[in-house]
RNA sequence: GCGCCCGUAGCUCAGCUGGAUAGAGCGUCGGCCUCCGGAGCCGAAGGUCAGAGGUUCGAAUCCUCUCGGGCGUGCCA
């Protein structure tokens, strides 16, 4: 298997003569802005600086010194750039073979010694699973798959919110008003109703919150009491209800260790901080001062009533994960509005000089906004107001929309319901992972139910077209048989598709590094676009035998790349739709 | 008040950590199925990259300020 880019890097380095490490680092080959310039380009700016020469001059010298070979056709200087062009046959062979033989980066990389903990989804299970939970869930699940693809050992953790005040409030509500049969009928909906009811009642009668606090204290006492029993009951019911959305999204966890898991691991944390002499009393609470880190608000580890908080549990979780998983990174896929919380968490860890502090990374994401029809402004969802949108409703709508289109366009499709589920759910997931993580997402039914243009179905459709061609051909499934005797020169006109496919590896690496799945989502759109264009102009099945064989190999490879990429972001590929 | 995030085409967004002529989708307008799937393809119109300074060979990208929008700001998570 030939890696063209690596080969080119070596050739460039050789052409430049002796290179010190700094100059070697300055060799960043990247796709040119405009494909007409070349297949890949080198901007000579940094290199010129290091060599104390003008960029155009360095570019001209490099281009002149560069000899074409079996893989590289040409090197041309264009101002400060050198534009390289791969030999078409080499390009096609390199990409298609790598893909079909499942070589990295298209296939999973060999195991590395990196261990990554990803804390994601982590819903507060005393609340309904609504659109707001979708983001953490799909981003986190995508990051798990991406890192695994790159050979890391991944520990995907669902850090359930099954402890603390929100849970105590739900407990209080259920103890007061709970009806078993209503809960059984529709757990998600009923808990939501209780949640809203509690919110309204607490607004009028603040003593309700005090009652909840007392229940929490009783729960945290560790005794086997009514609170403990209720906690267990509600936790089990919630988990059951949550499994539905997780199954539909195809999301799994390696560990489901909620906040309650750390119940017996918080005391040691408090003792550790006490021993370090950084835990001080303030207004009856035990806090860690963080002014030296530029954080004005101290971090409270124990409330004045003696109970613990989010921070206390998160610290216990960090220490636990450090010990159990020896992670190189711990990612927290949590909303951007909790940025301060994680800054505090890191600072509190640094306060006692624990090196794990540098491995803790908050992976923030934007809010989901709803359009306020009256003001015309985009606003944060007010779930306490009772207008939350349940994830299941959205998925159902999308699936129904897809089902309708299938009925119109492909009425004979076998298994239409199953396909509609994949495409509908895929559309929602894809839509969520399409844009940069940190930006707020405007919840818009028309965007959710769009299946044309930059959408999941657009990419799935490209895959289905490829699958359809393969189905109608007699192409062997076995890669060796498929690749045998292919004349790669015949794929000259597929360069745009191939060059885009070539970006797959860097895209996955970047997505992992920046915790940004949208890098992959956007590449999938580009690859799908190239395929749609290519198929319009180049017929496969009717082509002459030699050409047909070459194109079938390309089709199989393109289909595989789409399926892999979609798989990484959690969208299913379909052969028919 | 202070801190952080965002501001790119009518709308929704890309723009690979400073590089070549700022790109897509939706919408609008105009083309394309006797041909492997039209959930598609090709084209047109549409820009003071919020504004003003600065840094340098070069800025949508980095720095400062201003204006908009959002989030956060000890006993919730």
């Amino acid at each position: 298997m030939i890696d063209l880019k690596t080969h080119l890097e070596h050739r460039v380095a050789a052409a430049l003569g002796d290179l010190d490490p700094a100059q070697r680092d300055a060799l960043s080959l990247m796709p040119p802005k405009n494909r007409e310039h070349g297949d890949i380009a080198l901007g000579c700016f940094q290199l010129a600086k290091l060599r104390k020469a003008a960029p155009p001059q360095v570019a001209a010298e490099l281009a002149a010194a560069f000899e074409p070979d079996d893989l590289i056709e040409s090197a041309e200087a264009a101002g400060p750039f050198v534009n390289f062009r791969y030999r078409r046959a080499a390009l096609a062979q390199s990409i298609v073979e790598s893909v079909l033989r499942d070589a990295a980066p298209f296939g999973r990389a060999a195991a590395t010694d990196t261990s990554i903990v990803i804390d994601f989804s982590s819903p507060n299970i005393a609340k309904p699973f609504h659109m707001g939970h979708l983001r953490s869930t799909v981003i986190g699940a995508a990051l798990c798959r991406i890192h695994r693809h790159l050979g890391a050992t991944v520990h995907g953790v669902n850090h359930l919110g099954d402890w603390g005040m929100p849970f105590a409030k739900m407990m209080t509500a259920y103890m007061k008003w709970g009806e078993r049969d209503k809960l059984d009928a529709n757990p998600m909906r009923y808990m939501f109703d209780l949640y809203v009811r509690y919110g309204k009642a607490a607004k009028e009668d603040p003593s309700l919150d005090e009652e909840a606090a007392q229940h929490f204290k009783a729960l945290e006492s560790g005794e086997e009491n009514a609170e403990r029993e209720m906690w267990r009951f509600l936790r089990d019911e919630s988990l059951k209800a949550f499994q539905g959305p997780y199954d539909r999204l195809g999301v799994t966890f390696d560990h489901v260790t909620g906040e309650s898991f750390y119940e017996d691991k918080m005391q040691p944390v408090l003792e550790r901080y006490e021993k370090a002499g950084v835990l001080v009393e303030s207004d009856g609470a035990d806090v860690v001062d963080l002014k030296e880190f530029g954080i004005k608000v101290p971090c409270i580890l124990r409330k004045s009533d003696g109970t613990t908080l989010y921070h206390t549990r998160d610290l216990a979780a960090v220490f636990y994960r450090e010990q159990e998983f020896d992670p190189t990174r711990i990612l927290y896929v949590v909303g951007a509005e909790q940025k301060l919380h994680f800054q505090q968490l890191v600072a509190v860890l640094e306060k006692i000089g624990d090196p794990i502090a540098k491995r803790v990374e908050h992976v923030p994401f934007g809010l989901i906004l709803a359009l306020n029809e009256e003001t015309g402004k985009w606003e944060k969802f007010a779930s306490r107001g009772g207008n939350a949108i349940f994830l299941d409703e959205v998925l159902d709508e999308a699936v129904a929309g897809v089902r309708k289109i299938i009925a119109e366009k492909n009425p004979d499709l076998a298994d239409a319901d199953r396909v509609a589920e994949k495409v509908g759910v895929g559309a929602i997931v894809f839509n969520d992972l399409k844009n940069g993580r940190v930006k707020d997402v405007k919840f818009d039914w028309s965007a959710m139910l769009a299946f044309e243009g930059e959408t999941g179905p657009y990419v799935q459709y490209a895959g289905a077209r490829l699958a359809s061609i393969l189905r109608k051909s007699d192409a062997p499934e076995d890669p060796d048989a498929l690749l045998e005797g292919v004349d790669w020169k015949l794929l000259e006109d597929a360069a745009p598709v191939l060059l885009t496919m070539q970006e797959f590896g860097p895209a996955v690496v970047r997505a992992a590094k920046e915790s940004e799945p949208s890098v992959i989502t956007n590449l999938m759109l580009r690859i799908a676009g190239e395929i749609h264009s290519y198929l319009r102009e180049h017929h496969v099945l009717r082509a002459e035998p030699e050409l047909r064989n070459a194109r079938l190999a390309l089709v199989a490879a393109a289909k595989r790349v789409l399926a892999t990429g979609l798989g990484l972001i959690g969208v299913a590929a379909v052969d028919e739709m």
Side-chain angles (χ1 to χ4, degrees):
Chain A
M1 228 77 55
I2 329 136
D3 180 18
L4 285 182
K5 204 173 162 189
T6 308
H7 172 79
L8 179 56
E9 275 166 7
H10 289 147
R11 291 291 325 280
V12 168
L16 286 166
D18 290 334
L19 287 183
D20 54 52
Q23 291 191 43
R24 204 169 284 272
D25 285 346
L27 297 182
S28 65
L29 289 159
M30 52 180 208
K33 195 169 224 170
N34 189 333
R35 279 270 170 74
E36 283 162 29
H37 291 133
D39 297 340
I40 193 152
L42 176 70
C44 299
F45 306 98
Q46 287 97 319
L47 197 60
K49 203 168 212 171
L50 292 167
R51 300 191 150 206
K52 297 187 169 55
Q57 191 196 335
V58 174
E61 285 170 9
L62 171 57
F66 194 94
E67 292 290 329
D69 62 17
D70 291 349
L71 307 180
I72 319 288
E73 185 177 287
S74 64
E76 281 178 27
F81 294 92
V82 181
N83 294 313
F84 299 92
R85 209 176 134 85
Y86 298 121
R87 291 207 189 274
R88 271 23 197 166
L91 175 66
Q93 183 175 12
S94 158
I95 302 294
V96 172
E97 279 194 0
S98 299
V99 172
L100 292 180
R101 296 231 156 92
D102 232 14
F106 303 105
R108 192 162 160 176
T112 65
D113 56 0
T114 354
S115 162
I116 298 187
V117 174
I118 304 181
D119 180 322
F120 71 107
S121 193
S122 306
N124 204 310
I125 59 175
K127 296 180 187 176
F129 200 98
H130 55 79
M131 280 304 291
H133 293 107
L134 179 68
R135 303 219 71 200
S136 176
T137 305
V138 298
I139 293 169
L143 293 178
C144 285
R145 294 186 212 96
I146 289 164
H147 280 107
R148 224 165 250 142
H149 187 85
L150 292 172
T153 301
V154 173
H155 300 277
V157 182
N158 192 350
H159 188 69
L160 291 173
D162 60 358
W163 205 249
M165 280 305 286
F167 210 87
K169 288 178 184 177
M170 176 56 71
M171 247 166 54
T172 307
Y174 194 83
M175 284 166 131
K176 281 182 117 61
W177 312 305
E179 293 174 60
R180 182 62 194 261
D181 53 334
K182 285 187 182 169
L183 180 76
D184 288 343
N186 190 343
M188 191 83 78
R189 187 82 229 174
Y190 185 59
M191 287 205 204
F192 179 60
D193 292 343
L194 280 182
Y195 174 76
V196 173
R197 182 169 172 185
Y198 179 97
K200 280 180 186 159
K203 211 169 181 181
E204 285 169 21
D205 179 10
S207 75
L208 216 53
D209 282 344
E210 289 170 31
E211 202 179 325
Q214 277 167 21
H215 282 313
F216 180 47
K217 197 166 180 179
L219 177 63
E220 206 165 44
S221 72
E223 287 164 25
E224 202 48 58
N225 50 25
E227 280 83 1
R228 169 93 15 191
E229 197 181 327
M230 182 57 59
W231 168 77
R232 218 158 9 226
F233 170 69
L234 285 176
R235 185 178 189 274
D236 289 349
E237 290 300 315
S238 303
L239 273 176
K240 266 190 263 169
F242 274 66
Q243 201 50 47
Y246 285 143
D247 285 344
R248 294 186 80 178
L249 295 171
V251 170
T252 58
F253 300 93
D254 302 296
H255 313 276
V256 181
T257 44
E259 294 188 69
S260 64
F261 179 76
Y262 301 98
E263 183 186 359
D264 61 351
K265 299 173 184 62
M266 289 187 281
Q267 196 53 39
V269 171
L270 291 165
E271 280 163 15
R272 184 169 172 183
Y273 274 84
E274 218 158 305
K275 218 179 243 175
V278 296
L279 198 62
V280 296
E281 189 270 329
S282 168
D283 294 335
D286 291 331
V287 310
V288 177
D289 184 87
L290 300 173
K291 287 201 186 70
E292 64 198 275
F293 299 99
I295 299 172
K296 286 173 188 164
V297 288
C299 180
I300 300 175
L301 293 187
R302 181 157 47 196
K303 296 196 281 188
S304 49
D305 70 357
T307 58
T308 60
L309 291 101
Y310 185 20
H311 273 121
T312 331
R313 292 185 279 281
D314 259 353
L315 276 175
V318 170
F319 295 140
Y320 174 80
R321 290 163 184 177
E322 180 179 25
Q323 192 187 327
E324 289 294 310
F325 308 129
D326 187 24
T328 39
R329 294 170 83 183
I330 305 181
L331 307 180
Y332 290 85
V333 186
V334 178
E337 69 272 21
Q338 289 189 42
K339 187 158 192 168
L340 178 60
H341 168 79
F342 287 101
Q343 285 173 342
Q344 287 178 297
L345 183 64
V346 169
V348 168
L349 288 166
E350 271 175 3
K351 184 94 175 186
I352 57 168
D354 194 309
I356 197 73
K358 281 185 279 297
R359 303 179 173 193
V360 168
E361 286 175 55
H362 180 206
V363 178
F365 55 84
L367 270 47
I368 294 197
L369 306 176
L371 183 64
N372 183 325
E373 302 285 355
E374 289 166 26
T375 61
K377 284 184 179 175
W378 291 95
E379 296 173 347
K380 186 178 179 177
F381 262 104
S383 63
R384 56 199 168 281
N387 70 346
I389 297 182
F390 289 65
L391 178 60
D392 264 327
E393 289 174 21
V394 178
L395 296 180
D396 287 345
E397 286 286 332
V399 170
V402 169
R403 188 66 188 79
K404 219 165 119 188
I405 295 175
I406 290 176
E408 283 167 24
K409 307 196 182 226
N410 199 356
D412 299 330
L413 178 62
D415 242 355
D417 290 331
R418 192 183 52 82
V419 172
E421 172 76 14
K422 283 185 180 178
V423 176
V425 172
I428 302 299
V429 172
F430 192 96
N431 182 64
D432 202 78
L433 294 177
K434 187 170 63 176
N435 300 138
R437 231 182 43 219
V438 81
K439 296 212 175 186
D440 290 344
V441 171
K442 290 156 184 159
F443 181 84
D444 174 8
W445 276 108
S446 68
M448 292 292 172
L449 302 178
F451 310 118
E452 295 174 9
E454 295 175 331
T455 65
Y458 174 85
V459 180
Q460 288 169 318
Y461 183 58
R465 289 181 71 181
L466 297 171
S468 172
I469 293 170
L470 290 173
R471 205 162 43 236
K472 287 171 183 162
S473 77
D474 47 2
E477 295 224 358
D478 174 55
D480 290 324
L482 187 62
L483 293 167
E484 177 160 5
V486 168
D487 182 355
W488 300 106
K489 285 196 299 293
L490 298 176
L491 289 178
E492 180 172 17
D493 51 21
V497 191
L498 293 163
L499 287 167
T500 310
M501 285 165 65
Q502 197 182 28
E503 292 182 45
F504 186 81
V508 177
V509 169
R510 205 182 130 211
K513 193 171 143 208
E514 298 175 9
S515 297
E516 186 58 273
S518 68
V519 173
I520 295 175
T521 315
N522 285 306
L523 180 63
M524 288 305 113
L525 283 170
R526 287 179 49 220
I527 294 176
E530 295 290 2
I531 288 165
H532 281 305
S533 298
Y534 181 83
L535 293 182
R536 174 81 184 187
E537 300 296 326
H538 307 89
H539 280 256
V540 177
L541 299 179
R542 292 192 317 163
E544 297 301 312
E546 289 286 300
L547 187 56
R548 179 184 142 111
N549 284 345
R551 286 182 177 170
L552 280 173
L554 171 71
V555 164
K559 176 176 177 285
R560 178 85 71 100
V561 171
L562 285 181
T564 304
L566 286 177
L568 289 179
I569 58 173
V571 174
V574 294
D575 282 351
E576 290 180 87
M577 60 189 276

